[in-house]
Amino acid sequence: MAGVVHLVKTNPALAPLFIFGGSGIVGGIAYIGHCLANGPDVVINKSAAEKPWNRIQPHENAKLWSPNKDFWQDRKERAEQLKRQA
């Protein structure tokens, strides 16, 4: 780490390289951690349910980012209405 600091002090033009490269690495690791923790198709605990993706309800969004959030909200409201009617 001290070598990187010394390198950036002697050549400040390298600072953006280390900043963006480091943030890309941190972002990639964070995304992998997110997928491992929240992904319905990732099974880390072998002693739990055999198929954890079956726990997702039809109105739940399992995506990291969804361009159509209203679709999932409408679907959730319809599921709640059907539950109340039954």
Side-chain angles (χ1 to χ4, degrees):
M1 186 69 184
V4 172
V5 173
H6 176 70
L7 184 64
V8 171
K9 282 184 181 179
T10 59
N11 192 353
L14 292 176
L17 174 72
F18 288 108
I19 290 171
F20 288 111
S23 61
I25 290 170
V26 169
I29 292 171
Y31 178 72
I32 291 170
H34 169 77
C35 288
L36 286 174
N38 300 325
D41 54 344
V42 177
V43 180
I44 295 176
N45 185 2
K46 301 289 184 185
S47 63
E50 184 178 335
K51 298 177 182 174
W53 50 86
N54 289 337
R55 291 189 306 238
I56 297 175
Q57 300 299 316
H59 65 276
E60 291 179 343
N61 183 7
K63 297 180 180 179
L64 176 66
W65 177 76
S66 178
N68 191 2
K69 295 178 183 169
D70 295 333
F71 172 78
W72 295 104
Q73 185 63 32
D74 292 342
R75 201 165 186 181
K76 183 176 182 181
E77 290 171 359
R78 273 189 267 135
E80 289 172 357
Q81 287 175 354
L82 290 173
K83 197 180 287 186
R84 276 186 256 139
Q85 289 176 357

